[in-house]
């Protein structure tokens, strides 16, 4: 008969699969082979937390198989899989292409999408350009200290400003004297942090 | 002349950004959307597990339909939630 290609994913009982994966996955293979399917590829896809509980289970082992079988037998496979208690859920998909071609293109497409999102991950307006500006100016002013207390907001902001100014010459000095500059640059943020800390503690004492 | 180069740069930037706002599946030249590719699917779905509209993600209608199927398959296999946490 004319066989068709299928992809089937099974969620196996995690308790059984983590103890003996070979044994539980062999049960699935047995069901498939009983109905005349020839398994081309099988793999343990993942062991992960389920998005919602299935039959009282929070975790499951995903078992992915590719096989070719007679279309009339898929219904019988479904019935048998439903009767097995080790299998929490399953899904059989029909493939339009040969199995190895399908697997290869799927992997390639996943890679393409991943690379695309890597390239275009910096969403919004500005993107890279804004980052470059910020790097040149040095680290951004600390905002976490200022909005914590509303009334004396002016005090920490003022404390920040001279520290930022002190940092800028240090960055400039980096070119002629590379050895001395890092020490300065290191010292500057520390001093800045101390200042902000003291300012915050003072503000706390006041309120 | 300076303003001319500025204008050119601005146009380049705008083009780049408009490219970024277009359909990611068209950009990647994908044929199908795989329900097992959870990383991609999660970007097209809100925190609660609802699919984002085409106007938000810029997805072409052809891929939005494929995406719908992929998300539903992923939900059935408990890879994505039906309702958020």
């Amino acid at each position: 008969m004319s066989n068709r290609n299928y992809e089937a994913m099974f969620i196996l009982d995690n308790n059984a699969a983590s103890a003996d994966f070979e044994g539980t996955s062999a049960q699935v293979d047995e069901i498939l082979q009983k109905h005349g399917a020839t398994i081309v590829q099988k793999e343990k896809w993942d062991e992960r937390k389920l998005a919602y509980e299935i039959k009282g289970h929070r975790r499951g082992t995903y078992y992915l198989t590719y096989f070719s079988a007679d279309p009339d037998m898929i219904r019988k496979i479904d019935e048998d899989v439903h009767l097995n208690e080790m299998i929490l859920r399953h899904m059989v998909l029909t493939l339009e292409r040969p199995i190895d071609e399908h697997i290869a293109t799927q992997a390639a497409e996943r890679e393409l999408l991943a690379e695309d999102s890597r390239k275009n991950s910096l969403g919004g307006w500005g993107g890279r350009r804004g980052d470059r500006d910020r790097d040149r100016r040095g680290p951004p002013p600390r905002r976490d200290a200022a909005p914590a207390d509303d009334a004396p907001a002016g005090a920490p902001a003022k404390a920040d400003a001279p520290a930022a100014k002190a940092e800028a010459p240090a960055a400039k000095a980096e070119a002629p004297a590379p050895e001395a500059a890092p020490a300065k640059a290191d010292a500057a943020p520390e001093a800045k942090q101390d200042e902000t800390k003291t300012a915050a503690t003072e503000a706390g004492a006041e309120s | 002349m300076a303003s001319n180069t500025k204008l050119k740069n601005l146009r380049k930037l705008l083009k780049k950004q408009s490219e970024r706002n277009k359909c990611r599946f068209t950009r990647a030249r994908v044929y199908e959307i795989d329900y097992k590719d959870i990383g991609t699917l999660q970007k097209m779905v809100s925190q609660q597990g609802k699919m984002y509209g085409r106007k938000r993600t810029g997805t072409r209608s052809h891929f939005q339909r494929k995406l719908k199927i992929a998300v539903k398959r992923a939900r059935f296999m408990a890879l994505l939630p039906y309702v958020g946490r």
Side-chain angles (χ1 to χ4, degrees):
Chain A
M1 284 302 190
S2 64
N3 282 4
R4 296 204 70 171
N5 297 324
Y6 296 96
E7 171 188 326
M9 178 90 97
F10 300 88
I11 305 180
L12 305 176
D13 185 340
N14 199 33
N15 299 330
S18 58
D20 176 23
F21 177 73
E22 297 296 320
T24 37
S25 66
Q27 288 184 22
V28 177
D29 299 346
E30 229 171 76
I31 293 171
L32 293 180
Q33 275 156 359
K34 198 171 84 184
H35 295 288
T38 51
I39 299 170
V40 177
Q41 194 175 322
K42 51 184 181 179
E43 59 172 310
K44 180 181 177 179
W45 186 65
D46 205 355
E47 192 270 307
R48 54 185 283 130
K49 195 173 167 234
L50 302 174
Y52 48 88
E53 272 186 32
I54 300 177
K55 296 182 188 171
H57 291 267
R58 288 175 180 277
R59 296 185 72 83
T61 306
Y62 287 79
Y63 181 54
L64 182 64
T65 58
Y66 294 92
F67 60 90
S68 63
D70 186 18
D72 296 337
M73 300 311 269
I74 294 298
R75 223 191 61 193
K76 291 182 178 171
I77 290 173
D78 275 346
E79 280 171 11
D80 274 7
V81 167
H82 270 300
L83 291 176
N84 193 318
E85 287 190 353
M86 289 293 106
I87 301 162
L88 303 180
R89 190 165 283 192
H90 75 287
M91 179 163 69
V92 183
L93 301 180
T94 315
L95 303 183
E96 285 159 15
R97 290 173 287 183
I99 288 169
D100 43 352
E101 193 187 319
H102 176 84
I103 294 170
T105 49
Q106 214 168 50
E109 285 180 355
R110 195 175 309 148
E111 196 52 43
L112 280 175
L113 277 173
E115 200 188 318
D116 178 74
S117 69
R118 235 177 283 133
K119 254 189 215 164
N120 297 291
S121 60
L122 286 158
W125 298 90
R128 269 240 157 274
R129 213 159 153 257
D131 280 7
R132 198 176 56 196
D133 275 351
R134 196 179 297 155
D135 289 345
R136 200 171 55 211
R137 261 190 260 120
R142 287 163 62 87
R143 283 188 191 161
D144 43 359
D149 30 70
D150 293 328
K158 273 177 195 167
D160 265 349
K165 271 180 193 167
E167 227 170 319
K172 273 182 193 167
E174 234 173 63
E179 285 174 15
K184 270 187 200 169
D186 282 349
E190 274 178 25
K192 186 177 142 195
Q193 271 185 1
D194 285 347
E195 273 178 31
T196 49
K197 262 182 200 170
T198 50
T201 48
E202 276 168 23
E206 276 173 21
S207 62
Chain B
M1 289 309 276
S3 66
N4 202 1
T5 54
K6 253 187 190 174
L7 203 68
K8 264 186 194 168
N9 283 343
L10 189 70
R11 276 200 191 126
K12 232 185 209 173
L13 194 77
L14 283 176
K15 198 183 170 190
K16 220 177 175 185
Q17 272 157 357
S18 67
E19 191 76 8
R20 203 181 280 151
N21 292 338
K22 275 181 196 162
C23 174
R24 66 170 65 222
F25 303 105
T26 316
R27 239 189 287 130
R29 300 197 180 159
V30 165
Y31 177 72
E32 258 173 5
I33 302 174
D34 183 16
Y35 73 94
K36 299 190 290 299
D37 190 358
I38 309 162
T40 307
L41 293 184
Q42 260 169 355
K43 283 173 196 152
M44 313 305 283
V45 146
S46 78
Q47 196 73 41
Q48 293 198 320
K50 286 168 133 189
M51 266 177 76
Y52 286 135
R54 293 212 293 126
K55 283 181 184 170
R56 183 180 163 135
T57 56
T59 313
R60 298 280 159 88
S61 71
H62 176 80
F63 286 110
Q64 186 76 0
R65 275 179 263 131
K66 294 206 165 189
L67 183 69
K68 171 185 76 183
I69 294 171
V71 166
K72 284 179 179 177
R73 281 174 181 170
R75 280 180 186 159
F76 180 70
M77 294 313 278
L79 301 173
L80 291 179
Y82 278 105
V83 285
R85 57 216 74 141

